Structures are given as structure tokens and as C-alpha cells.
Amino acid sequence: MPAVFYPVLVKEMIILAEDKIPTMDEPVDVSEDVAEEEVEIKETFLQKLSRFYWGKNRSSPLTKPLRKWFLLFIGPVTAAFIIGFVWPFVQGIYLSMCKFQLIQDAEFVGFKNYISAFSDASFMRSFWYTALFAIVSLILINVLAFAVAYVLTLGIKGSNLFRTVFFMPNLIGGIVLGYIWSMIFDGILSHFGTSIVQDSTWGFWGLIILMCWQQIGYMMIIYVAGLNAIPEDMLEAAKIDGASGWQSLWRVTIPNMMPSITICTFLSLTNGFKLFDQNLALTNGLPVVMEGGVGISQTEMLALNIYNTFYGSNMSARGTAQAKAVIFFVLVAAIGLAQLAYTRKKEVQQ
Amino acid sequence: MKLKKVLALAMAAAMTGCFFAGCNTTDNGGGSDNSGGGASSTSAGDNGDGENAGGGSVYWLNFKPEADETLQAIAKKYKEEKNVDVKVLTAASGTYDQQLSAEMEKSDAPTLFVVGNPAKAKQWSSYTLDLKDTAVAKELNTDEYNIYDGDKLAAIGYCYECYGIIVNPTLVEQAGHKVDDIKNFETLKTVVEDIHSRASELGFDAFTSCDMDGDSSWRFTGHMANLEYYYEEKEAGSTWTEAPATITGKYLPNFKNLYDLCINNSLTDPKDLATGGHDPANEFKEGKAAFTVQGSWEYSSYAEKVPDAKMIPYYCGVDGEEKAGLNCGTENCWAVNAKASEENQKATLDFMYWCVTDQSASEMLVEAFGIMPFKQAVESTNGFLKDAAALEANGNYVMDWATNYQPNVDEYRKALVSALNAYCADQSEANWDQVKAAFVDGWATQYAAANAG
């Protein structure tokens, strides 16, 4: 995704720089011209690349120095992006088709890993479990965050204090939250002779409560911004036309809020699917129930399932874990994009 | 405006900084540029075929966090004496396998690492050097704790430990019993149940809390489970040399005997064990309970508070258990990286030899690890290991660590812990069947998973 932004950034840099170029000394320009000739003869690839970046403007004398130096500017970022993202990603896909214990010993086996990933009962279970979790948390988080944001924009006393307090759980890391909440839940559940790691129902709702607690504040901030951006006159016009509070909420406020809703649903849906830390710290997949001789972790979500497959005692399953990770990526990307496309359609132009 | 420029510059610097941070490796003197070829070690003993002139270095990936301090001191001492760099890196508790894979990927990989059991030796097969006929292997006084990978001596057990039931004799006597009278499950049960029933009057209970969270659960799913495997093995007449594909669970009722005795006669209600959060070690040290289950590695900390603490076998109601001894074995087995450079391998072997022959070094190591089965190593002062030796000398059978063969150990134990949690909450037959499924069927499925392709 971020790759798309770099050319744009570069273009902006050039536009900014163009304004200043006339102040440059003439001699510099002359020497540039000489160098330019050589570059043009030798480096056709750079030429092409520069044409790609600023098309028609390429012949303008004002952009000459930039044309020559642009690689210096985009180089580090592009290199970092390739080293930190593109290369590992490509390698990850390759490894998903290998049997390996250490990356250096990878041995190509084709789609075998994908077959074993799909035939792994624990993986399929964690997929459905994750989907359920993502949907429930998506609904609860957004409805509650919207409600809180709505109340806090009505101008009640202490709104700012409330906003700060609601936002705070976001500042605590997922692992810490998981452990804190496991103590809270166990403190309560011990009175009933059970604990969060013993009952998968509690494990599920515990995780939902934890996530709501953590995420509502964050989504609330986005909704508050969205609510504040709704033109007053629109609401006023609705009021004059005799719309009830409920009607103006559904007919005016929410349609105008669609950009915020798009962002928030996207964030909470992908967060739900990608959830890891909280899952690890709260239940770590427990309880495990023996189903046909196979122990299945009842509260293990996709990311944790992948992690446990990769880092479990069975080192021969690392390729399978890698295949699961690729499937996971495709899934999260597809769901995220589909959801974006859907909610974008509902956005209105202000 | 100026501020803006400064800020922009700072951002650019930070970004480039992040970018180049990744390039910052190759520290740690892992290469061959250290020790300058000066007074290198020549302590290779009887395989002393030349000097360590190449100036190799040692990189030990240690898996016992509690031994870290000692090992760092050993590394420093070796550097001082032999001018050879020894780097000791200790993996955080429970992350050794991850750390090992991560470190092995690096160009500066560990030269000395720990292989805990035969399954691991198989996994790391191409990374373990055959240690047969090395000077350090010739110093061994027993072959019992070594790990073979086919014919290859893949790893040398450099120390061994034992576990069993630890008793505070003073408290047992206060309750009007004698430790020496405990000879089998029946007598153990009588004493334990008597103490538990009079706990409020006595001011202490029988067993410490049997927490099933985190590391504490190992005491049951790892250590105590061993009695089941061991008796199966004993009945079959030969010790396992590799994991069997299936187990029968014939001695599971015996495991249940002892497990029930522990959870139902302890400081903590069995229902609260899943959550854990108690401190069994301190409960024992503070005299709140007369019994606990643990291993010899805890001796020094226990003996500080309970100097006469004694370790007795897992009595579980098996015929002839009056002749039982302690569970002796190890997961501390040295393997040398077969893919390390020759000079580093040599430096590592020299270092190992020095560890087990140098008087003061072996003293430090024995203090940290327990008994080291080498001819010249100093004797251990560990009281629990002395108990083990006394029982053995008395003709009692030693229970070897068959538990080391648990297939896919983390997954296997996780299922077992979960089943035991459910059982602790409600000690019904149905829940015990789940334990049985995790124990026996879980073994078979994990074995199949571990050995598939």
C-alpha cells in the first residue's frame, strides 16, 4: 500500500523545489548540463524512471538537477521498503512452498504445505472462531463507540475529561491488558469455581470485553471528529423541516458520517482478524479439548494458531505455518478491501 | 521557519537512522579477529593435536536462565585464563527453541548449544557434530545421559538432575510421623491425609499448592507424568531409545493416585489451581506445607530455609515400589555446531574440556547444575542428588526420564494441562477420561504429527 505514496511524495517535493530553483546560481546549471549529457547517454533506465515520475515536465530546465538527484531522495525509502517489506513478503511466499526448519535449509515441496494447512482441523476451527469474533467485536465496538461519541458531542459537562479517560486504554499494550484482564476475570470467575482458561464461552466473551474496552475509545475519537464535521446548517434545516431526533440521526448524521464509519469498520474488522497479543495473554488458546484424539485449542484465533504452529515443538510444521500465514494475509487483505469498497459506496459528498 | 527546517532535518535523520539500524550487526566478537593469536588455549588434553592458533571463539546458547550468572562468570574466567572469547547468551524462560532457530540463522551462530532430548537431536541432526572420541567425551564416567542420533554421539549430558517428592522432615515429625516410615503409596497417603485433616491444628498443610499455570504445571505434566512412562518402559523390559508411537496408559491410575493425593491435600482448593498465582516454592520454604513436588535444581534455595529437606520417590501404588528410587536424568546436553568453522569447533571442544576438568570451573558449574558425570569434576553438594545416590546405592531402581520422549512436548502438555484443569474443577469420571485421552491418545496423535514427512 505505502508504495503508492512514494511517487506522489516525490512529485510534491519537486513541485516545492521548483518554486525555489530560479534562485539557484547560474554556474551550477551549466555544469549540470554537461553532466546531463553523460547521464542521458548512459543511463536510459534512469531516464525512463524519471519520465515515469514526472512525465511531461521532464524537459523543463528547472527540474534538471532534480531529475539527476531524485534517486538520492527516493532511494533510501524505497530500499527500506524493499528490504523491510517486499523482500520478506516474497521470501515468505516462497517459504510457504518449502519444507524448512531454518530458512537456509528450505527445500521446495510445492503446494503440500497448503494442503496440510487446509486439512488442519485446528486451523479451520480458528478461522471460524476468528470470523465470529471479528463480526461480534466489529458490531459492538462501533455501535458503542458511536454512542459514546454522540453523547460526548452533545456538549455535556466534562466531555474532554471523558474523552481522555475513554481513550486511555489504547495507550496500554495488548499483552499487559491481557494479563490484567485475565486477573480481573479470574477474580470474578473463581467465585463460581471456574476460570477463563477453563470455559471457552468465558474465553470468547472475555476477549470481546477486553477488545471493546481497548478499542472503543480509539474509534470514539474518530467518530467525534466525524460528528463535529457535520455542517450545522444541515441539522438545523432538518430540525426546521420537522425531523425528529431519530430521523435526523438516521437521515442526516449517519450518511454524513460514512467516511468515519468506513475507517472505523475497516480498522475494527482488520484488528479483529489480526488479533494476537490479547489472545495470547488472556487465554493462550485454552482450554484444549480432545476431539478424536486431537487436542483443539478452543479459543485460539488465526494469528495465534499460525504462531503456535510455527513456534510449537513440531519444527517440521514450519512450512505449514508459513502457508497459513500467506492464506491469512490474502484473507485479511481481501476482507479489508471488500469492506472498504462497500462502505465507500455509501459515502456522500459534503 | 527555522524550527520547521530543524524538525524536517530531524525527521530525515530519524528515518535514515532507522534504515541503517538494520545494518548494525557483527559485534560480539564472534569472528576470528579476537584474541589476536596470542596465548590461545592448548588444553585439548589427549586430542591435543596442535595449538588453537586460529583463535576461534565460543558462543554458548544456554537454556537455563537460573544458571546465567554462573555461566557469565565462567566465560569471563576462561577469557582471563586462556584468552579465548566465550559468549554466553541465555534464552528467556520457555523461549529456548525459538531463540535457537533464530540464532542458528545468523552467520555468527552458536558453537555450543543445548539439545534436550532425542527428538530435538533428530531435528538438529545436521547441526550436531559427532562428539565420539573427543577429549571431553573421554572424560565422561557414564554414557547414561548422552544422546545418540543413530550412531552419532549428538550430545553429551554434562550434568544430571533428579526430581521426586520433597519432604520437610521437621514438619512430618511435628505431626507425629517419620519420613523413614514412608515406604510406599499407602504409608505416604496415611501421613499426607493425616496432616491435611489436622492442618488448622498443626499450622501447616500436607502439600504446597499444585498450581497448573505456567511453569508450575511442568511439575505434573512433565515430572510426575514420568512415573507412568517409566513403569510402562519398565514393564516392557527395556528403556526407550526413541519415542514409542503409542503408549498404553496402563499406569495412569497410579499417576492419578499421586496426583489426587497432591491436589486434594494441599493449601489450595483444587478448583483454584487452573488460575494459579500461588507460590509453592515459598510455601514450602516458609513451612506452610510439609510436602512439595520439585527437582534437585531447587536444592540450594530450599536448603537455605529447610536445611534437612529430603527427596523421596514418587510413591504411587505400583507393586514393589518400596525399591523405587528418584527420577534421574537430564535435559542439559551439550551439542557442538557442526556448521561452525573448524577453529570455532576446536575452541568450543577445548572450552568444554576445560569446564569439566578445571577444578574451580567445575566447582562453579556443579554448584549451578548438580552432578556432572565426568571423571575429574568435583563432587556435588546437592542434598537431593545425594538422596538419589543413597537410594541407588541401597539397590533401589533409578527411574529414568522417559518423559523426555513426549512428542511435540508443548502441544502435548498444553492439552494435558487443560484436561487436568477441567478435572481439578470437577473430579468426575468423565473428566478423568479427558485426561486419559490427552495422555494416551494425545501421545499417538502428537507422535504422528511429529513424524509426518
Side-chain angles (χ1 to χ4, degrees):
Chain A
M1 276 283 172
V4 182
F5 299 126
Y6 298 136
V8 178
L9 278 177
V10 170
K11 267 190 178 172
E12 275 172 0
M13 273 160 59
I14 288 153
I15 291 161
L16 281 173
E18 269 173 13
D19 299 339
K20 290 179 187 164
I21 278 169
T23 62
M24 279 178 115
D25 294 339
E26 271 307 305
V28 178
D29 252 320
V30 175
S31 62
E32 297 291 334
D33 267 339
V34 179
E36 184 70 30
E37 299 279 286
E38 289 170 13
V39 172
E40 269 180 25
I41 298 159
K42 281 185 201 162
E43 302 175 73
T44 48
F45 171 70
L46 278 184
Q47 289 291 312
K48 277 182 190 166
L49 201 62
S50 71
R51 204 180 312 127
F52 171 74
Y53 277 117
W54 53 83
K56 284 178 192 169
N57 282 340
R58 76 183 200 280
S59 57
S60 158
L62 297 179
T63 59
K64 268 184 197 165
L66 281 158
R67 263 194 288 156
K68 204 177 139 199
W69 293 109
F70 79 102
L71 267 188
L72 184 70
F73 291 102
I74 59 158
V77 177
T78 315
F81 183 67
I82 290 171
I83 294 170
F85 184 85
V86 179
W87 174 239
F89 185 72
V90 171
Q91 202 182 20
I93 293 177
Y94 168 69
L95 283 174
S96 72
M97 290 181 244
C98 290
K99 179 175 162 31
F100 69 99
Q101 180 171 333
L102 296 184
I103 293 166
Q104 62 221 32
D105 305 331
E107 173 196 329
F108 191 81
V109 293
F111 286 95
K112 214 174 130 200
N113 290 330
Y114 285 88
I115 297 167
S116 53
F118 280 113
S119 54
D120 177 354
S122 73
F123 185 60
M124 295 320 282
R125 192 200 140 81
S126 67
F127 169 75
W128 290 114
Y129 185 78
T130 309
L132 181 69
F133 175 84
I135 292 164
V136 174
S137 70
L138 168 81
I139 295 168
L140 282 179
I141 289 171
N142 284 289
V143 168
L144 291 174
F146 189 91
V148 173
Y150 194 72
V151 172
L152 292 186
T153 45
L154 292 178
I156 54 168
K157 253 190 190 171
S159 290
N160 281 335
L161 178 72
F162 283 123
R163 282 182 208 176
T164 316
V165 171
F166 283 130
F167 186 75
M168 265 195 217
N170 243 288
L171 306 175
I172 309 172
I175 289 278
V176 179
L177 268 188
Y179 285 123
I180 292 174
W181 276 94
S182 80
M183 281 193 262
I184 297 174
F185 289 132
D186 282 337
I188 300 166
L189 291 173
S190 65
H191 291 290
F192 303 96
T194 181
S195 85
I196 191 122
V197 293
Q198 276 179 275
D199 190 326
S200 56
T201 316
W202 294 121
F204 180 81
W205 289 108
L207 206 54
I208 292 278
I209 293 171
L210 192 165
M211 280 305 280
C212 285
W213 189 75
Q214 187 184 21
Q215 302 253 297
I216 285 174
Y218 189 81
M219 302 303 164
M220 174 202 73
I221 294 290
I222 300 176
Y223 283 130
V224 164
L227 282 167
N228 285 336
I230 297 172
E232 277 293 317
D233 46 357
M234 252 191 217
L235 288 166
E236 215 175 298
K239 210 172 172 184
I240 292 165
D241 288 344
S244 69
W246 197 245
Q247 273 173 325
S248 61
L249 173 70
W250 281 102
R251 300 291 167 88
V252 181
T253 308
I254 289 182
N256 275 293
M257 289 279 289
M258 277 321 280
S260 307
I261 294 176
T262 307
I263 289 292
C264 287
T265 44
F266 176 76
L267 284 177
S268 44
L269 190 69
T270 47
N271 277 348
F273 266 93
K274 292 187 307 184
L275 191 72
F276 175 74
D277 312 20
Q278 291 85 339
N279 190 202
L280 176 76
L282 191 70
T283 61
N284 193 15
L286 290 172
V288 179
V289 170
M290 299 299 290
E291 290 168 11
V294 187
I296 304 279
S297 296
Q298 300 292 304
T299 61
E300 188 177 68
M301 294 177 62
L302 276 176
L304 186 61
N305 181 275
I306 294 168
Y307 174 85
N308 282 338
T309 314
F310 195 89
Y311 285 115
S313 308
N314 189 7
M315 287 176 104
S316 60
R318 291 194 154 183
T320 312
Q322 193 63 43
K324 285 180 180 180
V326 172
I327 298 166
F328 178 65
F329 168 80
V330 172
L331 185 82
V332 173
I335 291 173
L337 290 176
Q339 182 268 333
L340 266 186
Y342 178 74
T343 36
R344 276 269 161 80
K345 271 199 286 186
K346 305 235 160 195
E347 285 177 17
V348 292
Q349 293 297 319
Q350 283 181 7
Chain B
M1 277 301 107
K2 210 172 180 187
L3 179 72
K4 203 172 164 186
K5 266 188 187 166
V6 172
L7 282 176
L9 200 67
M11 288 299 287
M15 194 184 74
T16 347
C18 292
F19 174 55
F20 286 113
C23 307
N24 179 28
T25 52
T26 60
D27 45 348
N28 316 328
S32 52
D33 53 338
N34 45 50
S35 73
S40 295
S41 159
T42 48
S43 65
D46 47 358
N47 79 340
D49 49 352
E51 293 189 320
N52 184 16
S57 65
V58 181
Y59 172 12
W60 180 352
L61 185 67
N62 164 43
F63 93 126
K64 254 188 177 333
E66 60 270 30
D68 182 62
E69 215 174 301
T70 309
L71 297 189
Q72 300 295 353
I74 290 271
K76 209 170 146 206
K77 192 170 152 60
Y78 195 64
K79 170 77 181 169
E80 274 163 17
E81 280 187 24
K82 310 282 183 184
N83 197 25
V84 174
D85 281 328
V86 177
K87 173 181 159 191
V88 176
L89 184 76
T90 302
S93 177
T95 64
Y96 177 77
D97 285 345
Q98 288 172 34
Q99 187 94 37
L100 180 60
S101 336
E103 292 296 311
M104 280 300 195
E105 300 277 11
K106 296 182 182 169
S107 54
D108 172 24
T111 59
L112 180 61
F113 60 105
V114 174
V115 163
N117 55 53
K120 285 271 175 293
K122 217 164 149 189
Q123 274 173 356
W124 292 100
S125 191
S126 54
Y127 286 84
T128 53
L129 191 72
D130 189 355
L131 297 173
K132 218 179 286 160
D133 299 328
T134 54
V136 60
K138 286 178 185 158
E139 281 293 317
L140 283 163
N141 57 23
T142 171
D143 192 32
E144 198 160 331
Y145 306 108
N146 295 336
I147 296 176
Y148 286 87
D149 173 27
D151 281 338
K152 178 169 84 175
L153 175 54
I156 291 177
Y158 58 88
C159 70
Y160 68 89
E161 300 162 323
C162 65
Y163 48 73
I165 304 169
I166 299 173
V167 194
N168 183 337
T170 318
L171 294 186
V172 171
E173 265 164 50
Q174 267 182 41
H177 305 279
K178 270 199 195 133
V179 180
D180 290 342
D181 291 345
I182 303 174
K183 286 284 169 222
N184 52 27
F185 181 68
E186 278 312 307
T187 46
L188 175 68
K189 194 171 180 220
T190 318
V191 175
V192 166
E193 288 182 344
D194 177 55
I195 293 177
H196 181 67
S197 64
R198 295 191 288 136
S200 50
E201 166 205 331
L202 290 166
F204 57 87
D205 211 314
F207 273 98
T208 57
S209 305
C210 306
D211 285 5
M212 294 304 284
D213 64 328
D215 298 0
S216 178
S217 66
W218 298 347
R219 301 185 297 140
F220 305 96
T221 58
H223 305 161
M224 195 180 283
N226 188 55
L227 71 90
E228 203 288 331
Y229 312 132
Y230 171 75
Y231 283 115
E232 268 195 44
E233 200 186 48
K234 191 169 180 242
E235 192 181 61
S238 63
T239 50
W240 293 340
T241 52
E242 56 179 41
T246 54
I247 56 170
T248 61
K250 185 180 169 191
Y251 292 93
L252 207 50
N254 300 97
F255 171 79
K256 186 172 183 287
N257 282 345
L258 187 55
Y259 187 72
D260 282 351
L261 193 69
C262 287
I263 60 168
N264 293 327
N265 297 286
S266 83
L267 286 161
T268 306
D269 187 320
K271 288 188 177 66
D272 294 335
L273 295 178
T275 320
H278 307 95
D279 190 348
N282 267 326
E283 288 168 1
F284 185 78
K285 286 185 229 169
E286 286 164 11
K288 289 182 183 163
F291 297 89
T292 189
V293 284
Q294 250 305 355
S296 59
W297 49 90
E298 295 286 357
Y299 178 76
S300 52
S301 86
Y302 280 26
E304 247 173 55
K305 296 283 173 66
V306 189
D308 55 347
K310 210 172 143 50
M311 194 182 277
I312 60 169
Y314 283 148
Y315 291 124
C316 55
V318 170
D319 283 343
E321 66 180 353
E322 289 75 8
K323 280 311 234 181
L326 300 182
N327 301 260
C328 295
T330 190
E331 281 194 297
N332 298 272
C333 302
W334 273 330
V336 175
N337 188 346
K339 297 194 180 178
S341 70
E342 226 160 86
E343 61 261 36
N344 283 354
Q345 284 178 359
K346 182 161 175 352
T348 306
L349 287 167
D350 289 347
F351 170 71
M352 289 156 73
Y353 181 79
W354 175 82
C355 281
V356 302
T357 52
D358 184 274
Q359 202 63 18
S360 55
S362 81
E363 228 164 75
M364 288 160 84
L365 286 170
V366 161
E367 183 68 30
F369 287 127
I371 294 178
M372 297 181 81
F374 296 94
K375 290 169 194 160
Q376 298 181 48
V378 297
E379 254 185 60
S380 167
T381 52
N382 189 304
F384 297 151
L385 287 163
K386 280 184 182 160
D387 291 336
L391 283 162
E392 196 181 350
N394 206 20
N396 292 29
Y397 52 83
V398 176
M399 298 168 73
D400 67 292
W401 286 15
T403 208
N404 280 5
Y405 292 98
Q406 282 175 339
N408 284 346
V409 46
D410 293 337
E411 290 81 352
Y412 177 75
R413 286 190 193 173
K414 197 173 172 184
L416 194 52
V417 166
S418 206
L420 286 170
N421 277 342
Y423 175 72
C424 286
D426 170 21
Q427 296 178 26
S428 66
E429 270 306 307
N431 280 340
W432 186 256
D433 286 345
Q434 283 289 313
V435 174
K436 210 168 161 181
F439 204 98
V440 180
D441 305 347
W443 183 292
T445 44
Q446 292 301 350
Y447 178 88
N451 292 284

